Amino acid sequence: MEVLEAIRTRRSIRRYKTIPVDDKTIELVLEAARWAPSWANSQCWRFIVVRDSNIKTELSNTLIAGNRGADAVRNAPVVIVACAEPGKSGYLGGKTVTDKGDYWYMFDVALAMQNLALAAHSLGLGTVYIGSFDAKRVASILEVPQGFCVVSMTPLGYPDQEPEVRPRKELSQIVSYDKYGY
Ligand SMILES: Cc1cc2nc3c(=O)[nH]c(=O)nc-3n(C[C@H](O)[C@H](O)[C@H](O)COP(=O)(O)O)c2cc1C
């Protein structure tokens, strides 16, 4: 699948078939994440591949009430949890150098996760970013060590739905030229 087509046709998938995802395919999408750019190539991301049903249920229970992704996290064959090591991205010579402080790791992880989502889609798999959950509880469930934090997660599996296209703002609403023009 062409990159532009993958970008245009990816949708958040919240219902998955029970068909398992083989290890080779999981590795392919992780490989896409690995090639994402990052601050000074710091690659502060870490990924945890969860296939154990009990752990997936525990993860699902950390989602904030009403989160539409809860069933997907519980039922998808795989959940990939993205962690990061703060204190690396956004730093030069051991100091933060922008007004974004230590938050650049969010940017790096997002780029890796988008690579992963697009690669998954190009292989016929679905994903949905999950951001609304109790990250400290997830860290405890997955035994994430001190010095790392949990950023995001996504179910991964074969889609069992074809969701409606969510609308996007027009370019004219979000792009201006030469100066900020809104
Ligand atoms: C940072 C971020 C956090 C998100 N968190 C959740 C979430 O917790 N639960 C959920 O069901 N969807 C979540 N989403 C998915 C968005 O709702 C979805 O991407 C958006 O509605 C556009 O739909 P589309 O992905 O199908 O184009 C999240 C997306 C992003 C980028």
Side-chain angles (χ1 to χ4, degrees), residues 11-13 16 76 78 117 120-121 123-128 154-159:
R11 304 277 171 269
S12 289
I13 301 298
Y16 292 88
V78 181
H121 176 51
L123 295 166
L125 290 157
T127 57
V128 53
T154 177
L156 177 75
Y158 293 95

Side-chain angles (χ1 to χ4, degrees), residues 107-172:
F107 192 90
D108 292 349
V109 169
L111 294 174
M113 288 297 269
Q114 179 69 352
N115 270 14
L116 183 149
L118 291 175
H121 176 51
S122 76
L123 295 166
L125 290 157
T127 57
V128 53
Y129 298 117
I130 302 291
S132 173
F133 62 90
D134 183 336
K136 291 218 165 70
R137 263 177 74 199
V138 171
S140 155
I141 292 164
L142 301 179
E143 300 176 9
V144 174
Q146 285 280 329
F148 288 81
C149 63
V150 175
V151 175
S152 173
M153 66 175 97
T154 177
L156 177 75
Y158 293 95
D160 194 22
Q161 63 173 170
E162 280 186 32
E164 301 262 303
V165 179
R166 302 295 314 278
R168 294 298 196 263
K169 291 179 179 169
E170 297 298 332
L171 279 185
S172 60

